[in-house]
Amino acid sequence: MTESPKTNFQKTDFHKTRLRFRIPDGVIYLDGNSLGPLPIGVEERVARTLADEWGGQLIRGWNSAGWMVQPRKLGDRIARLIGAEAGSVVVGDTLSIKVYQALAAALAMRPGRRVILSDSGNFPTDLYMAEGLIETLGRGHVLKVVAPDEVEAAIGEDVAVLMLTQVDYRTGRLHDMAALTAKAHAAGVVTVWDLAHSAGALPVDLAGAGADFAVGCTYKYLNGGPGAPAFIYVAPRHAETALPALSGWMGHAAPFAFDPSYRPGAGVERMRVGTPPVIALAALEAALDVWDEVDMADVRRTSIALCDLFIGLVEAQCPMLELASPRDGARRGSQVSFRHPQGYAVMQALIDRGVIGDFRAPDVLRFGFTPLYIGEAEVRGAVAILKQVMDGGLWDRPEYHKKAIVT
């Protein structure tokens, strides 16, 4: 039975939320920070979309089943989880595309500046998209990458955009969004925040922090499924002037007027690009239902407790592993990482024994903790198996050293 730390102030019934997910028997799933498990209800919702909507309504479904407005409706549901204003979030396309859009729009707001500031803990695709955009623009922009703890000092009046992932994908290190955004704005810098490892993991307050743009994916803590669509946030003060960069027909002011020239849509709607992935959005719609029963403060408090418990047990029982995450839970997302020279092989041995985490180069074992379906029993069980693997050298088998395509 899953047990989670409880307080007298807890509003969320994590035993109830645990029953909302399909977790295979014999598996301790500590990889929801990479791909969330299947929520109960998704299969039925997708089946209804296929049979009743696509099958029964055919092309009429764009109107009668509400397919066309799904991106905005789901955006509003996600907005509640990230502290965004209603009407400021839209869903669709991939996270890479949304990073490109947000960064391009932010750069256009500071035409006299040429520096994009980021850090070495940013997810590589964000940096790749910045490099590609710089090359495409050909205006002399540069990408300046510093260590995470050097970001604040690097913010200056030469910087056009500060582009950061709030939670470091490798270590779980958490940036102070409010403080860095305030520092950036004082220097005239526009902010772009990547919430891939934040949305659904911890309370986010985009509006309160004054963030300009934010992006994120829905297949991690929001459990939208493999390849689930991404989202983009545009602060309302920028919504009517932000340049979409990728001027797709769904972002047009009147898509079905089929005008030969582009006119941006109203507000965040202009950040739509291609045709909505209706089946994927149906899965996400059902996946988001569990959040109607969840208080993010409860998630955060319980997540920190579970991570602290895991760190203490691992350090006591597996001293050969080195903590790579911040020890202070307030400076950490909802994951814990440890280092070992043979981290990949160790993780494969764990997975083979039913404890699923993942590996990030060069030596990081990464474990995600989601109170919606993980409790103290899973934490203790995972550490017991990890101890067996390490004490017995069970990771040192040829099959565990052979790297798969996805690590």
Side-chain angles (χ1 to χ4, degrees):
M1 176 179 175
T2 297
E3 298 177 357
S4 297
K6 293 181 175 63
T7 73
N8 294 331
F9 307 104
Q10 185 165 297
K11 303 175 184 177
T12 307
D13 184 344
F14 288 119
H15 175 68
K16 183 178 178 182
T17 62
R18 170 65 179 84
L19 301 177
R20 299 286 298 271
F21 293 89
R22 190 182 300 281
I23 308 290
D25 292 339
V27 168
I28 299 176
Y29 193 63
L30 304 181
D31 207 16
N33 55 314
S34 189
L35 175 66
L38 175 65
I40 305 298
V42 168
E43 292 166 286
E44 186 278 332
R45 180 66 181 90
V46 171
R48 189 167 75 247
T49 299
L50 292 172
D52 298 345
E53 297 177 7
W54 182 16
Q57 301 175 45
L58 298 171
I59 198 169
R60 294 172 295 177
W62 287 109
N63 291 316
S64 57
W67 295 344
M68 187 60 71
V69 298
Q70 276 182 311
R72 185 67 170 271
K73 289 176 61 179
L74 296 184
D76 279 342
R77 295 182 70 182
I78 292 171
R80 184 182 69 83
L81 302 176
I82 57 176
E85 303 90 338
S88 64
V89 179
V90 69
V91 178
D93 313 301
T94 68
L95 181 52
S96 295
I97 288 175
K98 293 310 178 195
V99 168
Y100 190 98
Q101 284 185 287
L103 182 56
L107 286 176
M109 293 168 61
R110 295 294 181 268
R113 301 187 183 192
R114 292 291 180 267
V115 177
I116 301 168
L117 176 62
S118 191
D119 75 346
S120 56
N122 207 346
F123 193 69
T125 194
D126 294 29
L127 303 180
Y128 301 162
M129 297 308 290
E131 290 174 345
L133 179 58
I134 287 170
E135 184 70 20
T136 299
L137 291 174
R139 297 176 187 166
H141 290 92
V142 295
L143 174 63
K144 182 178 180 180
V145 179
V146 301
D149 58 0
E150 297 173 356
V151 169
E152 184 174 1
I155 297 172
E157 294 184 357
D158 61 329
V159 177
V161 179
L162 175 64
M163 180 183 69
L164 296 172
T165 296
Q166 187 183 19
V167 176
D168 188 315
Y169 77 102
R170 280 176 298 219
T171 68
R173 184 190 191 279
L174 175 65
H175 276 302
D176 187 333
M177 177 186 290
L180 288 175
T181 299
K183 178 71 180 291
H185 286 172
V189 177
V190 182
T191 59
V192 176
W193 288 95
D194 186 333
L195 307 180
H197 290 272
S198 307
L202 50 89
V204 179
D205 187 8
L206 290 175
D212 298 296
F213 297 89
V215 296
C217 60
T218 63
Y219 50 80
K220 299 182 190 296
Y221 294 98
L222 298 182
N223 312 297
F231 62 85
I232 186 169
Y233 163 82
V234 181
R237 63 186 179 277
H238 304 315
E240 297 298 339
T241 57
L243 298 178
L246 298 174
S247 46
W249 79 304
M250 285 293 163
H252 193 281
F256 289 91
F258 300 110
D259 291 338
S261 298
Y262 180 80
R263 289 184 292 114
V268 76
E269 287 285 321
R270 67 183 56 201
M271 292 299 178
R272 293 176 65 166
V273 182
T275 302
V278 171
I279 298 170
L281 289 173
L284 176 59
E285 180 182 35
L288 290 174
D289 287 348
V290 69
W291 295 99
D292 295 337
E293 309 168 13
V294 172
D295 181 86
M296 286 306 304
D298 291 341
V299 171
R300 180 60 170 161
R301 185 167 46 247
T302 307
S303 166
I304 290 175
L306 293 173
C307 290
D308 286 347
L309 175 63
F310 184 75
I311 291 171
L313 292 173
V314 171
E315 291 191 324
Q317 300 182 39
C318 305
M320 67 290 292
L321 299 178
E322 175 191 356
L323 181 65
S325 298
R327 190 173 300 278
D328 180 1
R331 298 182 56 243
R332 191 179 61 225
S334 196
Q335 69 182 63
V336 174
S337 297
F338 280 89
R339 287 193 168 95
H340 188 274
Q342 299 296 330
Y344 180 80
V346 171
M347 184 55 70
Q348 302 319 299
L350 284 173
I351 293 172
D352 206 24
R353 288 160 179 79
V355 178
I356 301 180
D358 61 21
F359 168 81
R360 290 296 177 262
D363 58 0
V364 173
L365 295 103
R366 196 172 68 155
F367 305 90
F369 295 86
T370 305
L372 273 62
Y373 51 84
I374 292 294
E376 290 183 12
E378 284 79 13
V379 171
R380 295 183 184 279
V383 175
I385 294 172
L386 177 58
K387 176 176 172 56
Q388 293 172 7
V389 168
M390 300 311 299
D391 286 351
L394 304 181
W395 53 267
D396 199 10
R397 298 181 183 176
E399 62 268 28
Y400 296 152
H401 290 272
K402 185 178 180 181
K403 287 192 177 180
I405 297 174
V406 178
T407 62

